[in-house]
């Protein structure tokens, strides 16, 4: 993809990945002290068929993004519409506060990669807009979850749930779905203990 000319030039237009699972990631893109003129994206899907996005926590809160940049979104999807087998997405948490940003940026293609609908970068600025168009993410939520975390250890730091005070009522807690093969979190802690739902993101909360 050529971000300067805003045209897509895939090498193999008829190639798609199959049945990808993107789950339990925590992605926080915050200000880095520099003006960003390029695209800022939490998670991207390109030519994916049957992809599944579950239990991801994605936040984009960089306030130093050029308003004329090509794209700022929690998720970028280039491919088939969900109703045509492109992807399913649910039980995610989003928080996007950057200028001219969106929950989703979606460019729809047909089965051989030809663009059907290019759309625009703020077309799905809110979760309800995305839900109404795709019928996805009806159990997903929006909220500032980065306040529930802190950096621990020495550089490179680890992002972990705050210990003092421990966050209560986080939007990430017990909102995910159980996924086979993803039974432990980033620290090896068992997910969904005592029959509870998985937590959203990479780190399991207590209780």
């Amino acid at each position: 993809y050529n971000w300067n000319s805003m045209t897509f030039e895939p090498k193999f237009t008829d190639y798609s990945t199959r049945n990808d699972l993107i789950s339990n990631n925590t992605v926080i893109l915050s200000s880095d002290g520099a003006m960003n003129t390029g695209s800022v994206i939490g998670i991207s899907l390109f030519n994916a068929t049957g992809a599944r996005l579950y239990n991801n926590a994605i936040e984009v809160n960089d306030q130093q993004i050029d308003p004329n940049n090509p794209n700022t979104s929690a998720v970028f999807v280039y491919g088939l519409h969900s109703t045509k087998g492109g992807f399913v997405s649910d039980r995610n948490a989003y928080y996007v506060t950057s200028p001219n940003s969106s929950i989703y940026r979606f460019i729809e293609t047909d089965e051989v990669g030809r663009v059907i609908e290019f759309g625009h970068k703020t077309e799905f600025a809110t979760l309800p807009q995305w839900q109404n168009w795709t019928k996805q993410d009806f159990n997903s939520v929006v909220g500032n979850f980065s306040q529930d975390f802190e950096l621990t250890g020495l550089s490179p730091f680890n992002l972990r749930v705050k210990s003092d005070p421990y966050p209560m009522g986080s939007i990430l807690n017990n909102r995910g779905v159980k996924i086979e093969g993803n039974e432990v979190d980033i620290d090896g802690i068992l997910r969904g203990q005592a029959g509870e739902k998985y937590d959203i993101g990479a780190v399991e909360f207590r209780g």
Side-chain angles (χ1 to χ4, degrees):
Y1 176 60
N2 185 336
W3 287 115
N4 294 319
S5 63
M6 294 297 288
T7 59
F8 285 85
E9 300 172 350
K11 186 173 183 179
F12 302 104
T13 58
D14 59 348
Y15 176 82
S16 297
T17 61
R18 298 288 191 273
N19 303 320
D20 299 313
L21 173 62
I22 303 172
S23 65
N24 286 103
N25 296 286
T26 299
V27 180
I28 299 176
L29 303 178
S30 55
S31 298
D32 57 7
M35 178 61 69
N36 291 306
T37 59
S39 293
V40 180
I41 300 168
I43 291 177
S44 180
L45 278 177
F46 198 100
N47 280 359
T49 301
R52 295 172 292 159
L53 284 79
Y54 289 115
N55 302 354
N56 298 290
I58 312 165
E59 178 171 321
V60 182
N61 61 21
D62 189 346
Q63 302 304 309
Q64 294 179 288
I65 299 177
D66 189 325
N68 297 314
N69 82 321
N71 175 50
T72 302
S73 61
V75 182
F76 173 85
V77 178
Y78 173 93
L80 295 172
H81 194 280
S82 59
T83 59
K84 299 178 181 178
F87 61 94
V88 292
S89 180
D90 205 8
R91 301 282 178 179
N92 300 296
Y94 305 108
Y95 190 61
V96 179
T97 65
S98 300
N100 297 316
S101 57
S102 296
I103 298 292
Y104 265 81
R105 174 71 170 100
F106 179 44
I107 298 177
E108 184 180 356
T109 71
D110 63 13
E111 289 78 2
V112 294
R114 294 173 298 196
V115 174
I116 297 175
E117 180 61 51
F118 193 84
H120 56 86
K121 69 178 184 178
T122 58
E123 185 173 9
F124 303 109
T126 68
L127 185 58
Q129 290 172 322
W130 174 250
Q131 292 167 333
N132 290 336
W133 179 248
T134 62
K135 311 307 179 186
Q136 300 296 315
D137 281 292
F138 279 117
N139 294 296
S140 295
V141 293
V142 173
N144 182 2
F145 58 81
S146 63
Q147 62 188 356
D148 300 332
F149 292 90
E150 62 186 358
L151 297 175
T152 64
L154 301 175
S155 180
F157 301 103
N158 294 318
L159 187 70
R160 295 296 184 268
V161 178
K162 282 183 178 179
S163 57
D164 185 21
Y166 193 83
M168 304 298 293
S170 173
I171 65 168
L172 306 181
N173 195 19
N174 296 337
R175 286 185 180 269
V177 63
K178 293 184 178 181
I179 298 174
E180 185 177 353
N182 195 18
E183 290 86 3
V184 297
D185 75 354
I186 194 171
D187 294 317
I189 304 300
L190 185 66
R191 295 186 184 277
Q193 297 186 44
E196 295 178 333
K197 294 178 180 178
Y198 283 12
D199 293 341
I200 295 176
V203 184
E204 194 76 0
F205 285 68
R206 294 198 311 261

